[in-house]
């Protein structure tokens, strides 16, 4: 026994002859083709009792391992976990994220195989191996209600990612200062995964985010917090601790959150409606089995799944990516239907508005199988046991959120799908608690909507939105739908409002196949400072004349007079392009790491394509240039300790631009 463990046990009043508060063990892994380590904390009465216990799986951060000792020499996290387990009926398993290829030694490297060029080891599949081993080896309570995940930094990301990937296995998840985004999926088709984009996958999971006030990536935590706080169905808690480091604070209080989840019987119930997004070609969730012939990076979503139907969509990236290309997504439902009975399958293609109906028979287990392409499909299933399904509100936009201009009447593109096998009558009434929303026409009614038909609002629902300066502003409407004459359901409708009076960019450059050298900002390091450096790029596909002509692809750069950092002056940046025009589309999400940020976060910009035939002379566009800074104040301290790490901040600068036929880059005139 180490002197550290002896001292800790003496503090607890435990004899030094007693067992240390954890056991380090190993188990064989098919995913890693080796024995894998883990550290397990068992309750003090585990050996003499016959009780079964819930399990919290804890994931360490960058450069650490299952020992949880790299950051603090074992003097803080390990004793706190051990003390909690000593006082509660719970098992804690510290998993090992070690990837030999990415580590320089026992400590010091990138765990979990979440790099863009990774994918050799699927840590999600390994998590299933670990859970299977723990449940077979120790006396656990092996249901989702009694299984939790937690972690620090990259481990906090893994806690959120794994619980979103396996919502039917994990009932509660917590994250201490989680990393904002990393890559997941099979090798060669990795997708950037940000928890804030996938809160719907956690609608049936209890979630807790813990942030240290002095954490250097606090802005990312705030964005994650805001996403979960606004998720309509999220069971979400947030805690901020006054502490000056990137650290796992309030472990005891957070593990108490998991204890409350263990006492919540609703977490053992399969939800009657759920949404899930997966980055893998094949996945099982809540008894549904999905397999797709997708070869490029893409995300598959099953949305609003009920016994009466679901929506199947794909995105090349999240959020707002276009559908990917594939010929077949095969879906086999859970055994929710009457075996060997016939059902009416109603398939509405979102991309083409084509309606297809067929008769399909449930198999001997009560599963229904069907195949769709990747273009997006709303599926209705009608037959024995499906009941009186409510009408389905289709997405307001081909993207994840409808973006609207301020100060003008906007015709809300509300469409309702009748998923039943019989005609329906609908009434809709709009409302909003947001003071920035003015509803001009709030009611619409539909009579005898045919099975599989999509009804558009009549009269057209109209709304005016108010915005200030700065970034996109969120607002939410509530659509109350009455059907079957008296039954009601309410659907939240989210929008993003463009800032008012957007400025025009100082200069703009269109790269349609040409090579250009720009001055771009480069951060000096994590104590602030930086300067402009030269960067030569060749992007786009066209004649290279600096004009976005029909049929061409291009990136759009702007000169930013002042970025977020004081040293970032008159540098250029590639932009993210937002427009609702069907003629100017984003065809690639260019992802570049934010220089010296150390978080794995990506700068996201656009490659756009202009249609070969454009039936308009002008297309309004919003250009988004993101700048960032290490904000360092060397005279700020916590207690007597000076803060050694600058905060990492970023800012989105939005500009209004209009594409016009034959318009040359403004910088070409210089």
């Amino acid at each position: 026994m180490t002197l550290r463990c002896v001292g800790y046990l003496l503090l607890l009043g435990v004899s030094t002859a007693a067992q240390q508060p954890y056991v380090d063990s190993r188990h064989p892994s098919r995913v890693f083709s080796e024995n894998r380590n883990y550290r397990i904390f068992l309750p003090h009465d585990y050996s003499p009792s016959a009780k079964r216990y819930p399990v919290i799986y804890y994931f360490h951060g960058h450069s650490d391992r299952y020992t949880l000792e790299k950051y603090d020499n074992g003097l803080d996290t390990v004793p706190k976990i051990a003390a909690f387990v000593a006082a509660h009926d719970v098992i804690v398993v510290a998993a090992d994220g070690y990837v030999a290829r990415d580590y320089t030694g026992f400590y010091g490297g990138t765990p979990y195989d979440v790099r863009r060029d990774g994918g050799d080891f699927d840590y999600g599949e390994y998590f299933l191996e670990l859970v299977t081993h723990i449940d077979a080896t120790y006396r656990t309570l092996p249901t989702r209600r009694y299984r939790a995940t937690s972690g620090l930094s990259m481990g906090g990301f893994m806690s959120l990612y794994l619980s979103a990937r396996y919502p039917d296995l994990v009932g509660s998840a917590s994250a201490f200062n989680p990393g904002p985004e990393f890559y997941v999926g099979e090798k060669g088709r990795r997708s950037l995964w940000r928890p804030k984009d996938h809160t719907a996958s956690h609608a049936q999971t209890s979630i807790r985010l813990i942030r240290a006030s002095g954490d250097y990536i606090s802005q990312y935590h705030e964005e994650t917090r805001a996403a979960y706080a606004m998720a309509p169905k999220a069971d979400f808690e947030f805690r901020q601790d006054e502490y000056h480091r990137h650290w796992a604070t309030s472990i005891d209080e957070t593990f108490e959150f998991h204890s409350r989840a263990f006492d919540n019987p609703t977490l053992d119930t399969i939800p009657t409606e759920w949404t899930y997004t997966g980055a893998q070609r094949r996945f099982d969730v809540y008894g549904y089995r999905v397999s797709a012939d997708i070869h490029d990076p893409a995300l598959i979503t099953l949305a609003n799944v009920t016994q009466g139907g679901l929506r199947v969509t794909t995105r090349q990236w999240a959020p707002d990516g276009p559908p990917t290309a594939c010929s077949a997504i095969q879906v086999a439902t859970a055994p929710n239907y009457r075996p060997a009975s016939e059902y009416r399958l109603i398939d509405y293609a979102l991309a083409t508005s084509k309606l297809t109906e067929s008769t399909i028979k449930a198999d001997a287990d009560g599963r229904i199988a069907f195949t769709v392409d990747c273009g997006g499909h709303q599926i209705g299933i009608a037959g024995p046991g499906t009941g009186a399904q409510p009408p389905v509100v289709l997405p307001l936009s081909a993207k994840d959120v409808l973006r609207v201009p301020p100060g003008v009447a906007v015709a809300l593109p509300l469409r309702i799908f009748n998923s039943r096998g019989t005609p329906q009558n609908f009434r809709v009434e709009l409302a909003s608690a947001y003071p920035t929303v003015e509803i001009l026409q709030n009611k619409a009614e539909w009579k005898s909507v045919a099975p599989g038909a999509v009804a558009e609002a009549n009269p057209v629902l109209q709304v005016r939105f108010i915005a200030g300066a700065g970034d996109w502003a969120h607002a939410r409407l509530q659509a109350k739908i009455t059907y079957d004459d008296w039954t009601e359901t309410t659907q939240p409708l989210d929008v993003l409002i463009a800032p008012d009076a957007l400025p025009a960019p100082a200069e703009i450059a269109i790269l349609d196949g040409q090579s250009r050298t720009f001055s771009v900002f480069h951060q000096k390091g994590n104590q602030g400072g930086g300067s402009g450096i030269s960067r030569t790029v060749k992007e786009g596909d066209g004649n290279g004349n600096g004009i976005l002509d029909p049929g061409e692809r291009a990136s759009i750069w702007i000169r930013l007079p002042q970025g977020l950092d004081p040293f970032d002056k008159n540098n250029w940046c590639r932009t993210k392009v937002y427009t609702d025009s069907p003629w100017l589309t984003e065809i690639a999400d260019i992802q570049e790491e934010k220089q010296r940020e150390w978080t794995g976060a990506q700068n996201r910009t656009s490659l756009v394509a202009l249609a070969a035939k454009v039936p308009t002379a002008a297309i309004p566009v919003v250009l988004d240039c993101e700048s960032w800074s290490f904000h360092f104040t060397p005279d700020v301290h916590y207690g007597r300790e000076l803060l050694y790490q600058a905060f990492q901040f970023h800012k989105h600068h939005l500009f209004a631009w209009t594409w016009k036929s034959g318009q040359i880059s403004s910088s070409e005139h210089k």
Side-chain angles (χ1 to χ4, degrees), residues 20 29 77 86 92-93 123 173 186 195 228 269 294 313 383 455 483 529 532 537 543 552 560 565 573 604 631 633 650:
Q20 64 183 1
S29 167
T77 300
V92 174
V93 176
Y123 203 83
E186 295 95 353
Y228 279 101
T269 304
I294 299 173
T313 58
Y483 60 102
V537 294
N543 58 22
E552 290 188 336
L560 191 63
D565 194 281
C573 59
R604 316 270 304 264
H631 180 71
T633 49
H650 53 271

Side-chain angles (χ1 to χ4, degrees), residues 22 104 290 384 413 465 604 630 645:
Y22 57 78
T104 58
V290 176
F465 302 92
R604 316 270 304 264
F630 286 114
Q645 172 74 67

